[in-house]
Amino acid sequence: MSNTPPCPECGDANTYFDGTFIICPTCGHEFSETSPATEAESQRVIKDANGNILQDGDTVTVIKDLKVKGSSLVVKVGTKVKNIRLVDGDHDIDCRIDGIGAMQLKSEFVKKA
């Protein structure tokens, strides 16, 4: 008896390993054992200070003066940041701010514009 998980498409338990993938002979679906974990991570939701869901490419506004670590620069309240990218980690927004350059922000200090 094999220890393969059932097919996520049709639920059939008669699946088998074929190299790196698991294959369902009933519906032909190919999947890997790490698919559910990867799906859960890609479904991670990042929200701004007001609870609005953020997406790649959004424009946000800074809601608090933020000191730039390692320099004397400050990102002022009301600064608009265009075309954000969401990343994993403590600072979950990767962006470029005019006059300062590339930096990472925490989503709790921005609101969707």
Side-chain angles (χ1 to χ4, degrees):
M1 194 81 180
S2 66
N3 298 3
T4 58
C7 176
E9 292 290 315
C10 67
D12 187 15
N14 295 325
T15 57
Y16 62 91
F17 282 107
D18 183 34
T20 58
F21 291 104
I22 301 170
I23 298 176
C24 175
T26 306
C27 67
H29 180 66
E30 296 181 0
F31 61 100
S32 64
E33 284 185 302
T34 58
S35 293
T38 307
E39 257 180 51
E41 287 178 5
S42 67
Q43 296 297 329
R44 189 176 99 124
V45 177
I46 297 176
K47 296 183 178 182
D48 69 357
N50 295 333
N52 298 319
I53 297 173
L54 296 174
Q55 297 177 347
D56 285 343
D58 281 345
T59 299
V60 296
T61 305
V62 177
I63 62 169
K64 177 183 175 184
D65 281 348
L66 301 172
K67 295 180 182 177
V68 179
K69 197 171 192 175
S71 77
S72 61
L73 298 174
V74 175
V75 179
K76 295 286 188 179
V77 172
T79 302
K80 277 198 172 183
V81 181
K82 299 177 185 176
N83 198 20
I84 64 170
R85 289 177 308 281
L86 302 178
V87 295
D88 292 330
D90 187 33
H91 292 73
D92 40 21
I93 297 174
D94 197 16
C95 62
R96 183 168 205 71
I97 299 177
D98 293 337
I100 296 177
M103 58 183 309
Q104 291 185 331
L105 302 172
K106 290 186 177 184
S107 59
E108 63 196 64
F109 298 121
V110 299
K111 66 178 182 179
K112 198 169 186 176

